Amino acid sequence: MSRVSPLDITKQLEHMEIELTKLNAKRSLSEVERRLEIAELGNCLLLKDTAHPQSPYYNRVKGFGPGDIPLLRRILNHYGEAAPCFDLTPNHMTADVSEALLKQGYMPVEQLVFLAARPKTQAKPSLPEMRIEAVTGESAETFISWIARSNGEAPYSRNIVDRVKGYFHASHFHNYMLTIDGRPAAMGSLFLHGSEGYLANDYTFEEFRGRGCQTALIGHRLSAAAELGLENVYTDVEFGSVSHANMEKAGFRTAFINTFWMHG
């Protein structure tokens, strides 16, 4: 990672995650298009999806800290009948903040580990039957079918595919398909914003787990990031997960752990 303070890394990563959220809203494979709005109040960014008010990911309060406690009622009113998720970084997790949220019926229900690394060229997969290809205009629909399969869903409608397929091979959003013996095995993405990148959407199909697919995709994307001249690459994982271990092995180091506070 570049030589910046932990708080600066937190701010950079938070900004990057916001940009990724905007993209995710645009490329969403939901039948009803997302309508993401972002407002500022105090030190907070209020993410609100008016089409899907129950989504904790797209209805989040970021940046809430001690100085924003007097604004809490206005923040909640911004969401109407819906209850937003409060996405708190460690520097904002004080006793006063916790008490204020608890009084409104919120509780901490989930955490994510955010990690950072410097891009570097990695060794290519050693298994000859393993192949990684970038998604292109020609393969975007195939990639979307992989996503449907990973979610256990039927193929997406023609309307959805036509609406979003261009995002999956955009210059700032690189997606990768890993096959073994020509069969779909795993996938992952690299989101670009300025001189930084974000690894996301890692998934390995069940029958291919334990064969190094995710490790190969992480290395491939770090190499791609190095070739692009990116300074830092970020990602997020569930603490103690297989993904957490794989990211650590690839050189990622913990930047911070955030906590999601949700109502009820």
Side-chain angles (χ1 to χ4, degrees), residues 25-214:
K26 293 175 182 177
R27 69 173 186 88
S28 172
L29 291 159
S30 171
E31 191 69 49
V32 178
E33 292 187 55
R34 298 195 178 275
R35 296 199 297 270
L36 182 65
E37 301 174 354
I38 300 180
E40 294 186 30
L41 182 58
N43 300 304
C44 304
L45 285 180
L46 311 183
L47 284 68
K48 180 180 179 181
D49 181 356
T50 58
H52 300 82
Q54 302 306 318
S55 167
Y57 178 73
Y58 290 107
N59 294 277
R60 281 183 292 159
V61 178
K62 295 182 72 69
F64 184 79
D68 302 298
I69 293 174
L71 300 173
L72 182 53
R73 176 46 54 190
R74 288 177 59 191
I75 291 171
L76 294 175
N77 288 342
H78 179 75
Y79 292 89
E81 297 296 323
C85 168
F86 283 77
D87 183 352
L88 301 186
T89 52
N91 53 311
H92 292 146
M93 276 281 293
T94 68
D96 289 341
V97 166
S98 299
E99 181 180 11
L101 291 176
L102 286 168
K103 285 182 178 179
Q104 295 297 325
Y106 280 79
M107 61 184 70
V109 299
E110 186 179 353
Q111 290 184 310
L112 279 181
V113 183
F114 287 82
L115 305 101
R118 289 297 299 271
K120 59 181 179 181
T121 302
Q122 308 278 315
K124 294 184 178 180
S126 57
L127 298 176
E129 66 272 22
M130 186 180 287
R131 183 173 182 179
I132 299 175
E133 295 182 330
V135 174
T136 65
E138 289 71 33
S139 60
E141 291 193 27
T142 299
F143 184 72
I144 291 172
S145 73
W146 285 28
I147 296 175
R149 180 183 162 192
S150 73
N151 292 327
E153 299 175 345
Y156 297 112
S157 69
R158 183 79 258 161
N159 177 60
I160 292 176
V161 173
D162 287 343
R163 186 181 78 218
V164 304
K165 64 182 180 181
Y167 289 108
F168 290 95
H169 58 94
S171 60
H172 63 300
F173 190 50
H174 300 187
N175 289 275
Y176 300 93
M177 309 164 73
L178 186 152
T179 57
I180 293 180
D181 292 328
R183 298 169 59 197
M187 53 189 170
S189 61
L190 169 62
F191 172 63
L192 310 178
H193 184 70
S195 62
E196 299 182 315
Y198 204 107
L199 302 192
N201 307 310
D202 290 54
Y203 184 85
T204 302
F205 292 102
E206 187 172 359
E207 62 267 37
F208 293 102
R209 290 173 187 170
R211 299 179 63 174
C213 295
Q214 188 183 48

Side-chain angles (χ1 to χ4, degrees), residues 238-256:
E238 294 181 5
F239 180 84
S241 64
V242 172
S243 293
H244 193 177
N246 287 337
M247 292 298 179
E248 290 274 356
K249 288 178 184 177
F252 281 86
R253 294 295 176 262
T254 298
F256 63 89

